[in-house]
Amino acid sequence: MNPKERVITEFKRKYNQDPKWVVRSPGRVNLIGGHTDYNDGFVLPMAINYATWIALRPRSDKKVVVRSLDLDGRIEFDLDDFENTDSGWGEYVKGIAWALLEDGLQLSGWEGVLSGNVPIGSGLSSSAALELSVAKAFSLTSGFSWDVLKISKIAQLAENDWVGMKCGIMDQLISAAGEKDHALLIDCRTLESSPVPLPAGTAVVVLDTNTHRGLVDSAYNERREQCESAAEFFGVSKLRDVNLDEFHKRETEMDPLSRKRARHIITENDRVQKSAEAMKNGDAQLLGNLISAAHKSISEDYEVSSKELDLIVEIALEQPGCFGSRMTGAGFGGCAVALVDEDQLDSFVTNIMGQYKNKAGLEAKVYVSRACEGTSVIEM
Ligand code: GLA
């Protein structure tokens, strides 16, 4: 049973009626633009065909009751009185309620069941998928309008200040605003986005190294600080404001670590914009080359890759029909992404699984991904 069928079936079993709504919000894969979002830069993610689903109905009181079919347990809290109890996935639900209330919205209670198939902790944004599906549940039951930019910022606030992960805006925005068959070029300063089509005849393949990200939050926050001090060196608020020429003029005056971090962000912003152009021109090979260059940069200069991620990218690049590959998400484990010629997809998948197993001693998981629309609702 897929997660949509599961939540509907379980809802009916538990409440003896159909849910009033079923909401869905997808995970994402970022084609290129690693760690640029919190530098006010550019990213090129797409929402994928793996999502979180919630079947729900309104309540007449102020309680929120959600049961997860995948992770242990259930969460119940009163919207007038709740606090952070560090209770795992439930804090994402409470965090969204908190951030919506902070924004001045009036919330009413609801209850339902939740299930999803976005791999957790693999860099495919299972948290943003959960956050946006919960936000959608609140918008339906509390009757406030769904403004994609506003809701994405609210979800980011929940993750930053309730959960404590100082992420940028990319994951929440793409989960909310994804478009079928397209990636979105997002300017993370203005939050303007434009859809760009995937090159015809290619497939976006997610390669899960089957390693989980360790220490990711602290290393992530550390990278943010390093970028901030590099921006200070250039006298700007964000590295987005430094172009390649300015960087090259002054890079030798920088300390070696700041220089590497800044070089990744500044060259990556340039690659993202070139990638969007390549996609508009249907140039899969150029896009692939930019993606592979992005991996080298994020691995060597930004140092958020891992030996398994480097290995799976290296294996991918050796396969016929692979245009390019890089790690995706925050890094330190989790997934890479590859752009592959559709005609060679089957052998690509078989070879990756076999060779990764031989060399890493681990089973890779491979997800052939389609670009899908963002958060959506089925009225029952
Ligand atoms: C995580 C964060 C995003 C982004 C990526 C790296 O997914 O949630 O905001 O910074 O890492 O590109």
Side-chain angles (χ1 to χ4, degrees):
M1 232 191 269
N2 63 38
K4 176 184 167 190
E5 289 159 359
R6 279 190 83 200
V7 293
I8 295 174
T9 309
E10 280 301 308
F11 186 98
K12 284 186 186 161
R13 205 178 56 78
K14 179 157 176 53
Y15 298 105
N16 289 319
Q17 67 170 174
D18 284 342
K20 180 149 172 37
W21 299 285
V22 180
V23 298
R24 159 201 157 275
S25 208
R28 62 101 188 92
V29 61
N30 187 21
L31 297 177
I32 188 165
H35 287 255
T36 45
D37 62 348
Y38 53 82
N39 287 292
D40 274 7
F42 298 90
V43 290
L44 199 43
M46 64 183 221
I48 53 175
N49 48 315
Y50 296 87
T52 298
W53 295 80
I54 306 176
L56 70 141
R57 68 178 183 187
R59 283 178 66 109
S60 52
D61 59 11
K62 301 275 262 179
K63 279 211 167 116
V64 175
V65 185
V66 191
R67 198 156 65 86
S68 166
L69 303 178
D70 316 312
L71 303 166
D72 272 350
R74 118 196 218 290
I75 171 152
E76 172 170 348
F77 63 98
D78 194 308
L79 287 164
D80 287 331
D81 181 21
F82 63 101
E83 54 189 36
N84 196 323
T85 51
D86 223 357
S87 64
W89 65 271
E91 293 311 326
Y92 291 91
V93 183
K94 286 193 229 162
I96 291 294
W98 168 78
L100 292 167
L101 290 167
E102 282 287 295
D103 199 69
L105 293 161
Q106 301 285 323
L107 301 184
S108 36
W110 53 274
E111 59 197 359
V113 293
L114 175 156
S115 178
N117 55 6
V118 187
I120 295 173
S122 300
L124 300 178
S125 273
S126 56
S127 3
L130 173 57
E131 288 155 9
L132 270 297
S133 58
V134 169
K136 190 67 181 183
F138 275 114
S139 98
L140 293 166
T141 50
S142 309
F144 58 83
S145 63
W146 184 256
D147 171 334
V148 162
L149 291 187
K150 182 174 160 178
I151 299 287
S152 307
K153 287 192 221 162
I154 286 176
Q156 184 196 11
L157 179 72
E159 180 138 356
N160 286 174
D161 289 1
W162 190 273
V163 179
M165 162 71 175
K166 302 289 179 197
C167 63
I169 188 73
M170 169 175 68
D171 303 345
Q172 289 75 17
L173 188 50
I174 188 67
S175 182
E179 288 196 21
K180 190 170 180 299
D181 300 331
H182 292 78
L184 289 190
L185 172 65
I186 303 175
D187 176 336
C188 297
R189 169 165 287 165
T190 62
L191 298 189
E192 276 163 355
S193 60
S194 50
V196 273
L198 292 161
T202 61
V204 172
V205 185
V206 173
L207 309 169
D208 190 338
T209 57
N210 203 356
T211 55
H212 280 279
R213 317 175 302 186
L215 292 178
V216 63
D217 288 12
S218 57
Y220 186 93
N221 294 344
E222 184 189 75
R223 292 300 181 286
R224 274 193 88 127
E225 283 160 21
Q226 292 166 342
C227 288
E228 279 158 24
S229 53
E232 228 169 82
F233 170 85
F234 286 100
V236 294
S237 69
K238 298 279 180 185
L239 283 177
R240 148 72 177 267
D241 297 308
V242 183
N243 66 32
L244 279 170
D245 285 346
E246 286 157 351
F247 174 71
H248 290 316
K249 252 184 234 150
R250 296 200 53 203
E251 61 174 318
T252 51
E253 297 163 44
M254 302 179 84
D255 73 82
L257 189 72
S258 305
R259 183 180 176 179
K260 285 196 331 183
R261 302 298 189 248
R263 182 165 53 209
H264 167 68
I265 298 298
I266 295 163
T267 58
E268 185 80 346
N269 276 330
D270 185 57
R271 280 186 292 268
V272 176
Q273 294 176 84
K274 289 186 173 142
S275 297
E277 275 311 304
M279 288 173 80
K280 284 177 199 152
N281 297 328
D283 191 339
Q285 192 52 65
L286 177 56
L287 173 62
N289 293 347
L290 290 160
I291 289 176
S292 302
H295 182 75
K296 192 168 155 45
S297 173
I298 207 164
S299 178
E300 292 174 9
D301 278 347
Y302 216 63
E303 298 176 284
V304 296
S305 187
S306 68
K307 85 175 186 308
E308 291 83 5
L309 281 167
D310 287 346
L311 175 66
I312 215 161
V313 166
E314 187 189 311
I315 297 173
L317 291 176
E318 284 163 8
Q319 306 309 317
C322 179
F323 295 108
S325 180
R326 66 178 278 271
M327 58 145 271
T328 189
F332 301 102
C335 291
V337 58
L339 186 71
V340 182
D341 180 347
E342 255 174 0
D343 292 338
Q344 314 214 40
L345 192 55
D346 292 346
S347 58
F348 178 82
V349 173
T350 316
N351 292 349
I352 288 277
M353 309 258 288
Q355 293 181 23
Y356 183 72
K357 173 113 204 257
N358 279 343
K359 292 186 176 158
L362 291 165
E363 301 281 347
K365 288 180 221 136
V366 178
Y367 309 97
V368 178
S369 305
R370 289 193 318 274
C372 291
E373 64 165 339
T375 312
S376 59
V377 185
I378 304 168
E379 188 125 9
M380 301 283 288

